[in-house]
Amino acid sequence: MNILNSVWISRNDFVTVFVKLFLFLYMRQITYSVEANGCHHCTSHAKNTNGYPVKTRNGKQTRVSRIVYSNYYLNGDDIPNGLIVRHKCDNRACINPNHLELGTFKDNAMDMVKRGRCRLGEKNHLSKLTWKQVVAIFYSQEKLFNLAIWKHYF
């Protein structure tokens, strides 16, 4: 008796083993822990430099929240061009489908302003003028042009 005959597996068994191995290696399941506020904190995937959990999909890194949204709401179809997945809860690691929604970059920026997550005025590290200087320029009786304002305050 040949040793190969004793370890021979059927084609169906081979396909089953191959699929399970493929799923284990490449389609690693997404696991999460549920927080008190209802967020599903992704625990299975590493975060990128911005704090979003990412997964390699079609040869490039994709945010797990995009994958969850497309699987839950779009039956695995791609998210339309020009739209992003926004977090209602402001938790970048959250993958709860009920906390995710589609929107544009403008919608996301408006959310940031409404929720007080952006730095306006003097709080912005790129700010050159204080609020007092802005008010003084606005109510100034002189008609100053940009260069004159720059020379006066800088």
Side-chain angles (χ1 to χ4, degrees):
M1 179 170 166
N2 190 339
I3 187 95
L4 291 177
N5 291 338
S6 64
V7 293
W8 181 258
I9 61 173
S10 70
R11 184 172 190 269
N12 290 341
D13 290 340
F14 175 77
V15 170
T16 303
V17 169
F18 179 77
V19 167
K20 286 182 179 179
L21 181 64
F22 175 78
L23 290 174
F24 176 75
L25 293 177
Y26 297 103
M27 303 297 286
R28 190 171 76 184
Q29 287 205 355
I30 299 169
T31 58
Y32 58 89
S33 61
V34 180
E35 297 177 358
N37 61 0
C39 288
H40 295 176
H41 185 87
C42 181
T43 56
S44 58
H45 291 78
K47 295 177 184 165
N48 65 8
T49 55
N50 295 325
Y52 293 96
V54 291
K55 177 178 183 165
T56 303
R57 185 179 192 191
N58 298 331
K60 65 179 190 174
Q61 281 195 342
T62 305
R63 291 180 181 171
V64 174
S65 55
R66 289 182 65 87
I67 296 169
V68 168
Y69 188 91
S70 76
N71 288 340
Y72 192 81
Y73 291 109
L74 306 175
N75 296 324
D77 291 339
D78 290 336
I79 294 171
N81 288 337
L83 295 179
I84 60 172
V85 174
R86 299 164 31 216
H87 290 83
K88 297 177 191 176
C89 58
D90 292 335
N91 181 356
R92 294 177 179 186
C94 179
I95 57 171
N96 183 347
N98 297 322
H99 292 189
L100 304 175
E101 63 184 350
L102 282 184
T104 62
F105 286 104
K106 184 177 180 180
D107 296 334
N108 203 35
M110 294 306 295
D111 286 346
M112 186 175 66
V113 171
K114 286 178 190 174
R115 296 173 184 162
R117 290 185 290 115
C118 66
R119 295 183 177 151
L120 297 174
E122 295 176 52
K123 294 178 183 175
N124 187 323
H125 69 283
L126 297 174
S127 175
K128 304 291 184 204
L129 298 172
T130 65
W131 280 113
K132 287 182 181 179
Q133 291 172 328
V134 170
V135 170
I137 292 168
F138 185 78
Y139 289 109
S140 172
Q141 298 299 322
E142 319 170 32
K143 298 294 182 200
L144 298 176
F145 294 101
N146 289 346
L147 185 59
I149 293 171
W150 182 80
K151 286 180 180 178
H152 187 271
Y153 287 98
F154 300 103

